[in-house]
Amino acid sequence: MAERDDDEPDDRGGDFDADELAMLRQLFRDEAHEALEAVTARALATGAGPPAPDAVGEMMRVTHTLKGSAGTVGMDAMVDLAHRLESALALLRGGGWTAAVADQIIEIADGMRLHVDALDRPDDAAAQATRVRGLVASLASALGGRVESSPRGPRLAVPPRPRPPTDSDGVVATPIELGDTTRTIRTGADLSAAVPDGRAMLRVEPERVDALMSAAGELLFDRTRIERRVHLLRSLARDLTRSRHLLRDEIGPLRVATGDADRARIEGRLVTIERDLAAQATQLTQTTAALFDETEALRRTIGELQKGLLRMRMQTARSLFARLARSLRAFSRTAGARIELRTHGDDTEFDKALAEQLADPLVQIVRNAIVHGIEPAVERVARGKSPVGTLTIAARQEGGLVIFELTDDGRGIDPHALRERFVATGRWTPARAQLASDADVLHALFDAGVSSKDEADELAGRGIGLDLVRETVARLGGEIQLQSTPGRGTTFTLRLPVTTAVAQAMLFKVGGQVYALPQVHVVETTQIDGAAQTVPLRHEQLPVVRLEQLLATGGAAIDSGPVAESTGRRTAIVVAYAGKGVVCTVDKIVGPREIVVRPLGPLLAPLPLYAGATISGSGKVQLILDPAALVRIAHPGAVAIAPSAGGATTSSAGRALVVDDSRAIREALTAMLARDGWIVDVAEDGAGAWHMVQQLRYDLLITDLEMPRMNGFELIARLRRDKTLADLPVVVITSRASSENRRRARELGARAMVGKPITRRKLQDAIAGT
Amino acid sequence: MADLRNVIVFALGGARWAAEIRHVREVASLGFVTAVPTAPPGIAGVFNLRGTIVPVLDVLALVGRAPHLPPRQGDGALIVEVDGAIAAIRVDNVDEVASLAVAPADGEPVTISDSRGRPVTLIDPATLLRRALAAAQAVRATDAADLADATLSDWPRPIDALTGAIEPPEFDGDTTIG
């Protein structure tokens, strides 16, 4: 590769096109942040020193790598800064570490971070660079040395690759492995080697992953819905079996009485029905069981999908720990305490979102440990402890959980004193205090009222904000535990799912409570006329569901009558589900949020209105409405009367017999007819139908033509020959292809035809034609 | 014959009640209670117990009396767990833990005597949970749409696969068949 003489940062066009360069620089920014955080963390961990044997070497290594990366993407100012820092660090190898040095290193790293962040604003970036150069110079002179600007070298030390991908460069294409790739981006120190080779990785914008995450979250709702129906089917199958047993028990005594011809005929018919029912019940049970298994498979697949997507967003604990280290340093300075930080499991991976959400709670715990946990040095020495307190933060993965343990070696918490305090302040009754175990007493510190009380705080040695810590952890689907040995120290253990099922939701208020709707089903928010029953929207009249009535609580219950008093304009959310729209009036829109979906539990899962729940930032349960339920409520026209559920139609169109050997078509026709008010019976072929028409009077017969045993032509012919049945209107189901069949059926006396595929409208037209 | 059992005695709605301690996981204070519209009267709301969504049961409603006032944050509650289902029983106050003579009662509330001979009503948390579940399922059963939709959209495909029926129906936009 030829040496490049130009040093214009933007003249990298020979290696990368503009998009690639922008992409690389974004990656570099992330990488620079991680590298600088690593330097900061090392400096913080060392504090007043002396540094661990590898600490200075590690900082130099990270800085050196940063220099190489900066060179690759053409950020010469950064190359220079990194070079200077590296040189200054080199001076430390011989010793000379002090708290002041640590401070200076941290300040330099912070300055370089600001420089990186300001790259889009050249003036600011240059100003920061100048400042950093000054800081490094003063550090170097304090250490008795000096640093020089970087030679032209570093960029060339890491030769950029030619523009990928070309056939001629002979690099073997590497299979795309998302998980490993993510690791490479995040932890791979050698950015220059990893990034420019486009074929080894799949570059994805975070937004795209988030969109997929959101869709996967939506699958959770769908799964919940399906599971609810499967359970319904199961109980229906049980009911059917029970009904069959009742019928069988009724037939039994009939058999005793013999000799009567009529009774024998009825009995024979009942026995047949009972046998059919038994067969159908068995089939329903089997199908439901299979469906149940398939939902289980679906559940697993959705779980895998989410896990895979989340792995794309994984990051290590390193940057989170660095942030904690910074906070620890700031707090312990304020408190004048000497505390050593130890971290374990820096490479533990978890969702980036989790890291963002957890940072504040963990900082809170660190702060508590410093303010309340770790004793002043004098007190520590008196107790026979080292004057320097220790705070250990450990992360590890166990199964699907990431576990954080924050342990201090401070004074601990005395549950007996705490118990007395709770009773004395009237928070607990003596009986309650007596019942509570030590663990319960400690955990009461997480209760809102307790931890905000100053006096309890002083006595307990713990407190402010612990309620918020617990709520955040709970919201993320995790739990927090507290163990303490008085005099020895305290351990907070956080267990959280590595993978957090996050969904986008629209939050809104009704009747003083906040509810959520899955965002993918929210079309828009709007203002509507408060009295409107329907609202025009894009050439459609959408029905209005008044959530203030549907979600009325307490004595008001659900007022089904039309209420006209809600006049004026009202805020509303337009919801779409399965191609149907509905407008829901609400009191107030709260706005879109990212929520963690939680199950409602077995007692509430049967309620059809809810798809789940979420826990708000302040720990309140918020219910998630099921858009499917809202659409069903708004479109009662779509509600068919189940064929076997008693047939209690409000206005019956009559009794119809559907004859077809395809069960699918029988079911579909039954549903369509039932929706139009027909009571529907079914037969599998002409023979079955012939048997049934002789026993019951039908107002309509719909038959297929090709069927086993007795086909449609034969059935129609027989009907026409029978005096009492000759007038029964017959609709024939035909295939488009068979015009010969149509002619023949019409000749036989079929009144109307309906061609496949059958639609409800076609069917209605055909029936009207009879 | 009556056995001696460990029970928690609590006050609720001006009366005294007891529940066997083996069903009680913990005694807790209710967090913010979210009302659940359309839930049966026996389920008075839900709250967040350390990340788990727990329904709050109204014992009075579940034993057929007038429902209690809605539960509020800070009210005491017994957290009961039966077969993996968790619920909170709202109480006015926890009075004592005692060993009392308990007669078998098939899960129905039964009056027993406390350590000082005063009457307390012994309830069975398992029975209460079953009743609450049955009440919730009754809400579902009235939702006939569930059934019809299931028939429409869920059946044709599996049945076709099972019976090998020819030419599955196609439907256009004027029905809900997908």
Side-chain angles (χ1 to χ4, degrees), chain A residues 249-416:
Chain A
D249 294 348
E250 288 297 313
I251 297 171
L254 278 176
R255 289 187 164 171
V256 183
T258 48
D260 187 331
D262 278 352
R263 286 193 98 156
R265 202 166 55 83
I266 295 169
E267 188 225 305
R269 236 157 60 198
L270 287 178
V271 167
T272 312
I273 294 171
E274 195 269 340
R275 201 174 295 142
D276 289 353
L277 212 51
Q280 287 154 8
T282 308
Q283 205 175 354
L284 178 61
T285 307
Q286 284 167 354
T287 311
T288 311
L291 188 59
F292 188 76
D293 288 346
E294 281 149 18
T295 356
E296 280 303 300
L298 180 68
R299 177 197 284 270
R300 276 195 299 277
T301 314
I302 292 175
E304 287 297 315
L305 175 66
Q306 281 191 316
K307 242 185 268 170
L309 286 170
L310 285 163
R311 278 196 63 195
M312 293 171 72
R313 305 205 308 182
M314 293 284 215
Q315 70 170 40
T316 66
R318 212 173 293 276
S319 61
L320 182 61
F321 283 177
R323 174 155 179 203
L324 292 178
R326 259 204 304 280
S327 306
L328 174 81
R329 187 178 170 83
F331 291 144
S332 51
R333 285 207 154 170
T334 319
R338 289 174 62 196
I339 297 164
E340 186 191 341
L341 178 74
R342 291 181 192 157
T343 60
H344 298 287
D346 299 34
D347 288 325
T348 309
E349 285 193 324
F350 43 85
D351 190 356
K352 192 169 183 167
L354 196 65
E356 282 159 13
Q357 304 255 5
L358 269 184
D360 284 343
L362 290 178
V363 164
Q364 189 63 46
I365 294 174
V366 166
R367 183 190 151 96
N368 271 310
I370 297 161
V371 177
H372 304 293
I374 293 175
E375 317 90 328
V378 185
E379 195 182 326
R380 289 181 64 87
V381 172
R383 289 184 184 218
K385 293 180 179 177
S386 154
V388 179
T390 308
L391 180 64
T392 310
I393 306 177
R396 65 175 192 278
Q397 241 196 66
E398 251 180 49
L401 294 177
V402 57
I403 298 167
F404 294 94
E405 276 177 356
L406 291 90
T407 305
D408 69 55
D409 65 346
R411 59 173 73 89
I413 306 168
D414 181 1
H416 300 293

Side-chain angles (χ1 to χ4, degrees), chain A residues 351-639:
Chain A
D351 190 356
K352 192 169 183 167
L354 196 65
E356 282 159 13
Q357 304 255 5
L358 269 184
D360 284 343
L362 290 178
V363 164
Q364 189 63 46
I365 294 174
V366 166
R367 183 190 151 96
N368 271 310
I370 297 161
V371 177
H372 304 293
I374 293 175
E375 317 90 328
V378 185
E379 195 182 326
R380 289 181 64 87
V381 172
R383 289 184 184 218
K385 293 180 179 177
S386 154
V388 179
T390 308
L391 180 64
T392 310
I393 306 177
R396 65 175 192 278
Q397 241 196 66
E398 251 180 49
L401 294 177
V402 57
I403 298 167
F404 294 94
E405 276 177 356
L406 291 90
T407 305
D408 69 55
D409 65 346
R411 59 173 73 89
I413 306 168
D414 181 1
H416 300 293
L418 205 53
R419 206 178 256 117
E420 283 166 21
R421 189 73 202 181
F422 286 163
V423 174
T425 53
R427 172 153 291 275
W428 282 9
T429 61
R432 170 96 191 263
Q434 179 207 330
L435 276 173
S437 65
D438 283 358
D440 291 343
V441 175
L442 288 186
H443 283 100
L445 282 173
F446 290 112
D447 291 343
V450 175
S451 46
S452 60
K453 267 206 170 71
D454 285 351
E455 64 271 32
D457 207 44
E458 278 168 26
L459 185 98
R462 285 293 144 164
I464 301 165
L466 282 185
D467 52 336
L468 290 176
V469 172
R470 184 175 67 184
E471 292 307 343
T472 308
V473 172
R475 192 152 44 81
L476 293 165
E479 59 169 13
I480 183 167
Q481 279 175 343
L482 173 55
Q483 280 173 314
S484 184
T485 312
R488 300 287 295 278
T490 305
T491 300
F492 284 88
T493 308
L494 286 74
R495 286 189 177 76
L496 296 126
V498 175
T499 59
T500 311
V502 188
Q504 298 293 328
M506 175 63 80
L507 268 57
F508 56 92
K509 248 181 162 172
V510 175
Q513 287 199 159
V514 176
Y515 296 86
L517 266 167
Q519 183 75 42
V520 289
H521 296 300
V522 173
V523 180
E524 61 178 312
T525 58
T526 182
Q527 295 282 322
I528 64 161
D529 174 6
Q533 297 293 316
T534 62
V535 174
L537 204 91
R538 296 194 201 110
H539 323 296
E540 241 190 310
Q541 283 288 328
L542 294 183
V544 176
V545 167
R546 297 188 190 289
L547 289 186
E548 66 274 15
Q549 286 172 30
L550 188 66
L551 300 177
T553 54
I558 303 165
D559 192 342
S560 52
V563 177
E565 64 214 27
S566 47
T567 46
R569 306 295 288 174
R570 278 194 67 87
T571 306
I573 299 177
V574 182
V575 178
Y577 182 77
K580 288 200 164 58
V582 54
V583 178
C584 300
T585 58
V586 304
D587 293 346
K588 191 185 164 202
I589 303 282
V590 177
R593 293 277 189 287
E594 200 166 69
I595 61 167
V596 178
V597 182
R598 310 192 56 76
L600 275 175
L603 280 186
L604 293 166
L607 299 177
L609 194 53
Y610 307 106
T614 186
I615 295 173
S616 76
S618 60
K620 295 177 182 173
V621 177
Q622 295 169 343
L623 299 163
I624 304 169
L625 298 188
D626 189 342
L630 295 175
V631 165
R632 273 204 302 275
I633 290 164
H635 294 267
V639 176

